[in-house]
Amino acid sequence: MSRLAGRTALVTGSSRGIGRATAERLARDGALVAVHYNSDEAAAGKVVAGITEEGGRAFAVQAELGVPGDVDTLVSGLEAGLDEHGASGHGLDILVNNAGVMGGVAPEDVTPEIFDRLVAVNAKAPFFLVQRALGLLNDNGRIVNISSGLTRFANPQEVAYAMTKGAIEQLTLHFAKHLAARGITVNSVAPGITDNGTPVFDMPEVVEQMAALSPFHRVGQTRDIADVVAFLASDDARWITGGLLDASGGTLLGG
């Protein structure tokens, strides 16, 4: 496929999970993809190597999000990578804000430090990355923000995390209006329970319980989300902006 040929993309948090699947899918569609990672250089290298082996184009860029200077570090690495791959001056066509951290803490046990970390990575970093990217994004570009089904169904263990994803949906709504004059679309995708390779998905009895929440009787796979993101990144989604696409597999609709 080549529907994204000649375009550039940055996917944050793409050394694993949904981000990795998204980077791989956008590369298969023809985009030059910046594979962002926080600390696992080896994992990011494997993603880049896999894309390259399949005939795609990608490079890794490191930046710890949620700390001072994070966006400057990320954008500097992005620009350097574009330079190295012959895309100097091209700008950015697709930005996928995927990187995030979860809480997994009972409401009574959420500390200010935990809360601040969740906000810094999940809400503050995407906001300022979009702000900084305004000068890099090409007209008719695409911004896709990864939200969560937890903005619509409750899990008290993740109340602070869900609050940050609510902020992402507001970022989507308001920037969609702000950037419409340039033909840039801004949308959110809300995954449900998705097998991202964490140990819990190696426990058959737990997976069975989670699968029962979807009428499809399975948990999501990372490619399920990546395909939705790829659609929003394509010309086919030119008439969708400010939207929230539920990619939860119908979680809690009933069996």
Side-chain angles (χ1 to χ4, degrees):
M1 298 176 69
S2 59
R3 63 181 180 172
L4 298 180
R7 300 187 195 182
T8 57
L10 166 63
V11 183
T12 65
S14 49
S15 65
R16 57 180 293 274
I18 290 171
R20 174 176 183 166
T22 298
E24 292 169 342
R25 173 59 198 268
L26 295 180
R28 283 197 299 273
D29 285 356
L32 167 61
V33 182
V35 176
H36 162 259
Y37 67 99
N38 175 25
S39 59
D40 196 339
E41 182 177 5
K46 288 180 181 178
V47 177
V48 171
I51 288 172
T52 303
E53 287 170 6
E54 290 187 357
R57 302 173 69 215
F59 60 91
V61 56
Q62 189 277 332
E64 180 182 357
L65 299 181
V67 299
D70 52 358
V71 171
D72 289 338
T73 301
L74 178 51
V75 172
S76 294
L78 169 66
E79 292 177 325
L82 293 175
D83 256 359
E84 292 174 9
H85 286 77
S88 176
H90 176 88
L92 186 65
D93 297 299
I94 301 162
L95 169 61
V96 181
N97 279 308
N98 165 77
V101 293
M102 297 190 75
V105 178
E108 298 85 353
D109 298 326
V110 175
T111 64
E113 292 76 18
I114 290 172
F115 190 91
D116 288 348
R117 174 65 176 163
L118 289 167
V119 171
V121 176
N122 297 353
K124 184 178 179 180
F127 175 88
F128 284 102
L129 181 54
V130 171
Q131 182 193 69
R132 178 67 181 274
L134 295 183
L136 294 173
L137 274 167
N138 294 316
D139 289 353
N140 303 310
R142 301 284 184 263
I143 298 174
V144 183
N145 300 313
I146 304 302
S147 180
S148 170
L150 289 172
T151 61
R152 289 174 311 291
F153 47 83
N155 176 355
Q157 297 287 112
E158 295 293 352
V159 58
Y161 169 81
M163 290 172 67
T164 66
K165 290 304 184 178
I168 279 289
E169 293 176 10
Q170 291 303 307
L171 182 155
T172 295
L173 180 67
H174 295 279
F175 268 107
K177 185 168 185 178
H178 187 59
L179 296 176
R182 294 178 53 194
I184 297 171
T185 67
V186 189
N187 291 288
S188 296
V189 174
I193 298 169
T194 306
D195 184 350
N196 58 6
T198 54
V200 69
F201 289 97
D202 294 326
M203 303 168 65
E205 66 281 5
V206 176
V207 173
E208 184 177 355
Q209 292 171 6
M210 292 188 291
L213 297 175
S214 166
F216 295 123
H217 301 291
R218 70 172 178 86
V219 298
Q221 300 298 313
T222 56
R223 65 179 181 274
D224 295 324
I225 314 306
D227 289 347
V228 175
V229 175
F231 163 67
L232 290 173
S234 75
D235 289 338
D236 291 342
R238 62 192 174 277
W239 201 234
I240 302 174
T241 197
L244 172 65
L245 268 65
D246 183 298
S248 69
T251 297
L252 300 185
L253 285 179

